[in-house]
Amino acid sequence: MDSIDQANANLSQLLSRVEQGEEIVISDQGVPVTKLVPVGTASRRRSSLGVDQGKFVVPEDFNDPLPDDILSAFEE
């Protein structure tokens, strides 16, 4: 839940999230006062699948076991 001040400062970001289908509740002092919802159907949403294609390459060793020093950090 976003406050009115947060919503005002980040309106363009909130609208982008709503365009992707998210519903956002805006509150005033913790009390919900409004909800931003997408207009239209989900089929009109811009697809975000594939927008980062080619920007990241999965390394060949991605599924290899982690080194012992990293594994031990999870066990502490």
Side-chain angles (χ1 to χ4, degrees), residues 35-56:
K35 183 191 298 187
L36 299 176
V37 297
V39 175
T41 63
S43 64
R44 292 186 56 199
R45 286 191 323 212
R46 291 184 299 175
S47 174
S48 61
L49 294 176
V51 295
D52 289 330
Q53 186 173 0
K55 294 182 181 178
F56 177 77

Side-chain angles (χ1 to χ4, degrees), residues 54-72:
K55 294 182 181 178
F56 177 77
V57 176
V58 177
E60 290 294 324
D61 65 349
F62 180 78
N63 286 322
D64 289 354
L66 293 172
D68 289 336
D69 58 328
I70 294 176
L71 283 175
S72 65

Side-chain angles (χ1 to χ4, degrees), residues 7-27:
N8 190 30
N10 301 303
L11 184 59
S12 61
Q13 293 170 342
L14 293 176
L15 293 177
S16 292
R17 290 169 47 194
V18 170
E19 277 185 328
Q20 296 300 315
E22 186 175 345
E23 294 184 358
I24 298 173
V25 175
I26 299 174
S27 66

Side-chain angles (χ1 to χ4, degrees), residues 1-11 14 25-31 33-34:
M1 188 173 337
D2 290 283
S3 71
I4 291 175
D5 291 333
Q6 290 171 325
N8 190 30
N10 301 303
L11 184 59
L14 293 176
V25 175
I26 299 174
S27 66
D28 185 13
Q29 298 180 0
V31 178
V33 292
T34 193

